[in-house]
Short mmCIF file of all heavy atoms in Angstrom, two decimals:
data_model
loop_
_atom_site.label_atom_id
_atom_site.label_comp_id
_atom_site.label_asym_id
_atom_site.label_seq_id
_atom_site.Cartn_x
_atom_site.Cartn_y
_atom_site.Cartn_z
N LEU A 58 7.65 120.91 100.08
CA LEU A 58 6.35 121.53 99.82
C LEU A 58 6.51 122.98 99.34
O LEU A 58 5.83 123.42 98.41
CB LEU A 58 5.51 121.51 101.10
CG LEU A 58 4.90 120.16 101.51
CD1 LEU A 58 4.33 120.25 102.92
CD2 LEU A 58 3.82 119.74 100.53
N THR A 59 7.43 123.70 99.97
CA THR A 59 7.66 125.09 99.58
C THR A 59 8.13 125.19 98.15
O THR A 59 7.65 126.01 97.37
CB THR A 59 8.69 125.74 100.52
OG1 THR A 59 8.21 125.68 101.87
CG2 THR A 59 8.93 127.20 100.15
N SER A 60 9.08 124.33 97.78
CA SER A 60 9.60 124.32 96.43
C SER A 60 8.50 124.04 95.41
O SER A 60 8.47 124.63 94.32
CB SER A 60 10.71 123.27 96.31
OG SER A 60 11.19 123.19 95.00
N ALA A 61 7.57 123.17 95.76
CA ALA A 61 6.50 122.81 94.84
C ALA A 61 5.54 123.97 94.58
O ALA A 61 4.91 124.03 93.52
CB ALA A 61 5.71 121.62 95.41
N HIS A 62 5.46 124.91 95.52
CA HIS A 62 4.52 126.03 95.38
C HIS A 62 5.16 127.30 94.82
O HIS A 62 4.44 128.18 94.34
CB HIS A 62 3.88 126.36 96.73
CG HIS A 62 2.86 125.36 97.18
ND1 HIS A 62 1.55 125.39 96.76
CD2 HIS A 62 2.96 124.30 98.01
CE1 HIS A 62 0.88 124.38 97.32
NE2 HIS A 62 1.72 123.71 98.08
N LEU A 63 6.47 127.41 94.88
CA LEU A 63 7.12 128.68 94.56
C LEU A 63 6.91 129.13 93.12
O LEU A 63 6.74 130.32 92.86
CB LEU A 63 8.62 128.61 94.88
CG LEU A 63 9.02 128.98 96.30
CD1 LEU A 63 10.53 128.95 96.44
CD2 LEU A 63 8.48 130.34 96.69
N ASP A 64 6.97 128.21 92.16
CA ASP A 64 6.82 128.60 90.75
C ASP A 64 5.51 129.34 90.52
O ASP A 64 5.47 130.35 89.82
CB ASP A 64 6.89 127.37 89.85
CG ASP A 64 8.32 126.86 89.68
OD1 ASP A 64 9.25 127.61 90.06
OD2 ASP A 64 8.49 125.74 89.18
N ARG A 65 4.44 128.82 91.09
CA ARG A 65 3.12 129.42 90.89
C ARG A 65 3.01 130.77 91.59
O ARG A 65 2.27 131.65 91.15
CB ARG A 65 2.05 128.46 91.43
CG ARG A 65 0.63 128.94 91.26
CD ARG A 65 -0.38 127.86 91.57
NE ARG A 65 -0.29 127.35 92.92
CZ ARG A 65 0.11 126.13 93.25
NH1 ARG A 65 0.47 125.28 92.30
NH2 ARG A 65 0.16 125.73 94.51
N LEU A 66 3.79 130.96 92.66
CA LEU A 66 3.67 132.16 93.48
C LEU A 66 4.77 133.20 93.24
O LEU A 66 4.77 134.24 93.88
CB LEU A 66 3.70 131.76 94.96
CG LEU A 66 2.46 131.05 95.50
CD1 LEU A 66 2.75 130.39 96.84
CD2 LEU A 66 1.31 132.02 95.63
N LEU A 67 5.68 132.92 92.31
CA LEU A 67 6.88 133.74 92.18
C LEU A 67 6.58 135.22 91.93
O LEU A 67 7.32 136.09 92.37
CB LEU A 67 7.77 133.19 91.06
CG LEU A 67 9.23 133.68 91.06
CD1 LEU A 67 9.89 133.39 92.40
CD2 LEU A 67 9.99 133.04 89.92
N VAL A 68 5.48 135.51 91.25
CA VAL A 68 5.14 136.91 90.99
C VAL A 68 4.94 137.69 92.28
O VAL A 68 5.16 138.91 92.33
CB VAL A 68 3.87 136.99 90.10
CG1 VAL A 68 2.65 136.47 90.84
CG2 VAL A 68 3.65 138.42 89.62
N LEU A 69 4.58 137.01 93.36
CA LEU A 69 4.37 137.68 94.64
C LEU A 69 5.68 138.19 95.24
O LEU A 69 5.66 139.01 96.17
CB LEU A 69 3.69 136.75 95.64
CG LEU A 69 2.25 136.32 95.31
CD1 LEU A 69 1.72 135.40 96.40
CD2 LEU A 69 1.35 137.55 95.17
N ALA A 70 6.81 137.73 94.70
CA ALA A 70 8.11 138.24 95.18
C ALA A 70 8.24 139.74 94.90
O ALA A 70 9.12 140.41 95.47
CB ALA A 70 9.25 137.48 94.52
N LEU A 71 7.39 140.28 94.02
CA LEU A 71 7.40 141.72 93.77
C LEU A 71 7.05 142.52 95.03
O LEU A 71 7.45 143.68 95.15
CB LEU A 71 6.43 142.06 92.64
CG LEU A 71 6.82 141.57 91.24
CD1 LEU A 71 5.69 141.82 90.26
CD2 LEU A 71 8.11 142.26 90.78
N VAL A 72 6.30 141.91 95.95
CA VAL A 72 5.92 142.62 97.17
C VAL A 72 7.13 142.84 98.07
O VAL A 72 7.42 143.99 98.44
CB VAL A 72 4.78 141.89 97.91
CG1 VAL A 72 4.54 142.52 99.29
CG2 VAL A 72 3.51 141.92 97.09
N PRO A 73 7.88 141.79 98.47
CA PRO A 73 9.08 142.07 99.27
C PRO A 73 10.13 142.88 98.52
O PRO A 73 10.88 143.64 99.14
CB PRO A 73 9.60 140.67 99.64
CG PRO A 73 8.93 139.73 98.70
CD PRO A 73 7.62 140.34 98.36
#
Side-chain angles (χ1 to χ4, degrees):
L58 285 169
T59 301
S60 177
H62 286 277
L63 272 183
D64 284 347
R65 182 170 60 249
L66 288 165
L67 197 56
V68 66
L69 294 180
L71 291 173
V72 172

